[in-house]
Amino acid sequence: MVALVIALALFFDFTNGFHDTANAMATPIATGAIKPKTAVALAAVLNLVGAFLSTEVAKTISGGLIREGSDGIHITPDIIFAGLMGAVLWNMITWLKGLPSSSSHALFGGLIGAAVVGIGFHSINFETVLQKVILPALFAPLIAGLVAYICTRLAYALTSRHDPETGDKLTQKRGGFRTGQIFTSSLVALAHGTNDAQKTMGIITLVLIAGGTQAPGSGPQFWVIAACAFAIAIGTYAGGWRIIRTMGSGLTEVKPAQGFSAETSTASAILASSHLGFALSTTQVASGSVIGSGLGRKGTSVRWGTAGKIALGWLFTLPASAIVGALTALLVSIGVVGVIIAAVVGTSAVLFMFVVSRKSHVGHHNAVEVEEAGHAVRFRKKKKSRKTTPSEDVQR
Amino acid sequence: MKWLELLQVGGVTLVAAVTLVVLYSLGVRLTAIAGDAQQKSPVLVRSLAYVCFAFCAAAVLFGIYLIVPYFGK
């Protein structure tokens, strides 16, 4: 059971990685600051580094969501297994739909659902749920969006230049923001590595402690850190192209100055929140930033339909993964047979979604519209011939 | 409820992001000015631009310093 949970936890880490590549890398890819493949490679390396950098794990991954200890309620590997199943399946579904949704919320949802079925309603600390999940979900996009809006406005105001006499536009060199984007998006990727890989490490450690193979209260062992770091890095490299597409061009058209503002806001919000104790979801912050930066530039329209779909996805994240978690917990409570059924059903569901995804392939070649890429190429090499062949786009 | 913390996070985010963006934008603007044909002292303006970028880089490094708990102790 312990081994099964660890395997599932690592797979969750993998899905987390490829689900969240978009947060850091969608905007630089959209503006052509970094080539798609280079971008995901960079994000993967930074995630890896980030996961190793911060070994100080938030030990209570459930963070008080589930009442532990005094009442004699213990989280068993069974419940963690069920919770992870919920989180993984929801991550896969949202990936298939190309929706950026919070992996942490999926995890919380799964664990809550599993705990309700496995232990009972009294095991859930609803006040903490409200405080840690629902309120941040409302405020993360608001804060990030507002900041990104202000930043975009500032960036454009500061760089706009007109000839005082003729009123003609002077050169603005806004392409310079592309270089900046490389650094800001790297910062987002690094922050993601230090945050999200920790969750899986915490879970595996929790299971090891519950299984009695590790002393209670001790930190994660080295192999756990290494395994998680690699799982999230591989996941990032695999690249959630579908979500990158949504974030990079589905919400609004992204120009370098906008992308720079959005990423700066995202990075600041994540860093500020994780260091001041009001945890915000990386995904929600990033989506909010992109929308905010879209509103900030004149002549850009935000596709509210897509934004609404994303918001709806967030609304469903918690309950949906809770339901899957609860169902899995029911199965697991039957006994060994239930565990096997759950594992088989889970694996086949993942495989099924993977097969479905193949039908409408979204890869690095068509994640963001070629028109944008062509623009980038022209911009960079000034007067050289454009070499973006339209044939790349045919497969879409 | 942690309204104070929420406010704090929002405030810090705003200050940090605005600082970075303003610095970088100034840098971009200064490089554009330095590129103008009739500019008399392009070297001075360009080096000012680099100062802006340098401050920006320092701010980012400070951010990294913050997220790595190893330095935090």
Side-chain angles (χ1 to χ4, degrees), chain A residues 124-179:
Chain A
I124 305 299
N125 195 342
F126 283 101
E127 200 190 321
T128 324
V129 172
L130 186 72
Q131 197 165 316
K132 284 204 167 178
V133 183
I134 296 172
L135 281 181
L138 280 175
F139 285 108
L142 275 183
I143 292 178
L146 190 70
V147 172
Y149 172 79
I150 295 170
C151 285
T152 313
R153 271 291 167 88
L154 274 172
Y156 276 98
L158 280 170
T159 51
S160 103
R161 299 175 70 222
H162 291 279
D163 198 302
E165 284 154 35
T166 56
D168 289 342
K169 276 191 178 179
L170 293 169
T171 48
Q172 299 173 322
K173 294 263 173 85
R174 279 188 189 136
F177 280 110
R178 280 206 184 93
T179 324

Side-chain angles (χ1 to χ4, degrees), chain A residues 348-362:
Chain A
S348 44
V350 167
L351 279 178
F352 173 72
M353 279 184 251
F354 186 72
V355 169
V356 170
S357 82
R358 284 280 130 186
K359 280 183 189 157
S360 56
H361 189 58
V362 181

Side-chain angles (χ1 to χ4, degrees), chain A residues 90-117:
Chain A
W90 182 250
N91 261 357
M92 289 297 288
I93 292 169
T94 48
W95 164 70
L96 197 63
K97 293 270 168 209
L99 292 177
S101 72
S102 167
S103 303
S104 357
H105 283 192
L107 186 60
F108 287 148
L111 284 175
I112 289 173
V116 166
V117 169

Side-chain angles (χ1 to χ4, degrees), chain A residues 53-54 56 130-131 135 139 143 147 150-151 154-155 157-161 171-174 176-177 179-180 187 190-191 260-261 264-265 268-269 271-273 275-278 280, chain B residues 1-3 5-6 8-14 16-18 20-26 28-29 31-36 38 46 53 56 60 63-64 66-70 73:
Chain A
L53 276 181
S54 160
E56 197 171 283
L130 186 72
Q131 197 165 316
L135 281 181
F139 285 108
I143 292 178
V147 172
I150 295 170
C151 285
L154 274 172
L158 280 170
T159 51
S160 103
R161 299 175 70 222
T171 48
Q172 299 173 322
K173 294 263 173 85
R174 279 188 189 136
F177 280 110
T179 324
L187 197 62
L190 194 71
F260 182 81
S261 308
T264 315
S265 318
S268 317
L271 294 184
S273 70
H275 281 268
L276 293 170
F278 200 93
L280 300 177
Chain B
M1 213 41 82
K2 303 177 178 175
W3 295 113
E5 285 185 14
L6 177 72
Q8 221 178 354
V9 168
V12 172
T13 307
L14 186 66
V18 165
L20 277 183
V21 168
V22 164
L23 278 174
Y24 200 91
S25 304
L26 276 179
V28 168
R29 190 190 175 111
T31 32
I33 293 174
D36 281 355
Q38 69 272 45
R46 196 169 288 275
F53 288 134
C56 203
V60 171
I64 293 173
L66 280 182
I67 49 171
V68 180
Y70 177 78
K73 281 182 222 158

Side-chain angles (χ1 to χ4, degrees), chain A residues 97-100 246 249-252 291 301-313:
Chain A
K97 293 270 168 209
L99 292 177
T246 307
S249 58
L251 277 171
T252 180
I291 294 178
S301 56
V302 172
R303 292 184 189 95
W304 289 110
T306 315
K309 254 168 71 185
I310 291 173
L312 209 63

Side-chain angles (χ1 to χ4, degrees), chain A residues 266-331:
Chain A
T266 309
S268 317
I270 296 169
L271 294 184
S273 70
S274 57
H275 281 268
L276 293 170
F278 200 93
L280 300 177
S281 153
T282 319
T283 310
Q284 293 172 344
V285 166
S287 315
S289 294
V290 170
I291 294 178
S293 74
L295 289 174
R297 185 168 73 92
K298 277 177 209 146
T300 330
S301 56
V302 172
R303 292 184 189 95
W304 289 110
T306 315
K309 254 168 71 185
I310 291 173
L312 209 63
W314 290 350
L315 213 59
F316 278 111
T317 296
L318 202 72
S321 48
I323 288 168
V324 180
L327 288 176
T328 319
L330 265 181
L331 270 175

